[in-house]
Amino acid sequence: EIKESGERVSAVQQDRKTVDNVLAEVAVLNESMREIKESGETVRALQQDMRSFKDLEESTKKTADNVMADLRLLKNDLETFKSSLRTEVLGKVEPLHQQFRELPPNRDDEHVKAMDHLRGELGELRDMHVRRQEEVDMDRSVASL
C-alpha cells in the first residue's frame, strides 16, 4: 500500500507538472493573442491615418486647382484692365496734345497758365500710368506664384 501511495503521489505530481505546463502554454497563447489584437488595432489606426492622408491630399489638390483657376481669372482680368487703362490714358493724352498744338505761339500770361495746366494734367496722367503699371507688375508677380 505504501508503494501504491507513492505511485499515486508520483502520478499526481506528474499530472500537476502537466497542468502547470498547459497553464504556462495557455498564458503564452493569451499573451500572443493580446499582441495580435494590439497589432490589429495598430493596423486599423494606420489604415485610418492613410484614409485621412488621402482625403487631405485630395482636398489640397482641389484647393490648388481652385487657386490656379483663380489666378488664371486674375491674369485675364489684369490683361483686360491693362488694355482698358491704355485706352483710357491714350484717350486723355490725345486731346491734351491737340490742345498743345492749338496754343498761341506767344508767351503771355494766358499762354503760361495754359501750359502749366496742361503740364500738370500730363504729369497726373503719367503718374497714374506709372501707378497702374506698378499694380499690374505686382499682380503679375503674385499670379506667377
Side-chain angles (χ1 to χ4, degrees):
E1 212 170 291
I2 294 182
K3 187 177 176 184
E4 236 179 79
S5 289
E7 288 175 3
R8 280 189 207 151
V9 168
S10 271
V12 168
Q13 286 177 347
Q14 186 61 36
D15 288 345
R16 281 188 181 169
K17 285 182 185 177
T18 301
V19 168
D20 287 344
N21 287 340
V22 168
L23 289 175
E25 288 181 27
V26 167
V28 168
L29 285 174
N30 282 336
E31 180 63 23
S32 294
M33 292 298 288
R34 187 187 62 73
E35 289 174 0
I36 289 170
K37 181 181 175 189
E38 288 175 1
S39 295
E41 291 169 357
T42 301
V43 167
R44 281 189 291 283
L46 288 172
Q47 288 172 334
Q48 180 60 42
D49 288 348
M50 287 301 295
R51 281 191 293 273
S52 296
F53 177 74
K54 286 181 182 180
D55 291 345
L56 178 62
E57 182 180 36
E58 185 176 315
S59 172
T60 302
K61 184 183 179 318
K62 285 179 183 177
T63 300
D65 290 346
N66 289 337
V67 167
M68 290 306 295
D70 289 345
L71 286 175
R72 283 190 287 278
L73 290 174
L74 179 61
K75 181 181 176 187
N76 290 340
D77 289 348
L78 287 173
E79 291 299 321
T80 301
F81 174 74
K82 182 179 174 183
S83 177
S84 66
L85 180 63
R86 185 179 300 121
T87 301
E88 180 183 340
V89 168
L90 289 177
K92 290 182 179 182
V93 169
E94 187 54 40
L96 290 175
H97 282 289
Q98 182 61 35
Q99 289 177 14
F100 268 127
R101 286 190 290 270
E102 293 172 359
L103 286 175
N106 62 14
R107 291 284 182 187
D108 62 11
D109 284 339
E110 208 49 46
H111 177 78
V112 170
K113 285 180 189 176
M115 288 295 288
D116 288 342
H117 174 73
L118 291 175
R119 281 190 188 102
E121 285 190 38
L122 280 174
E124 287 177 26
L125 283 174
R126 208 173 304 119
D127 292 344
M128 183 175 80
H129 177 69
V130 168
R131 282 192 305 274
R132 300 268 194 221
Q133 189 61 44
E134 288 171 351
E135 290 173 5
V136 168
D137 292 343
M138 184 183 299
D139 290 338
R140 278 191 182 150
S141 69
V142 169
S144 69
L145 297 177

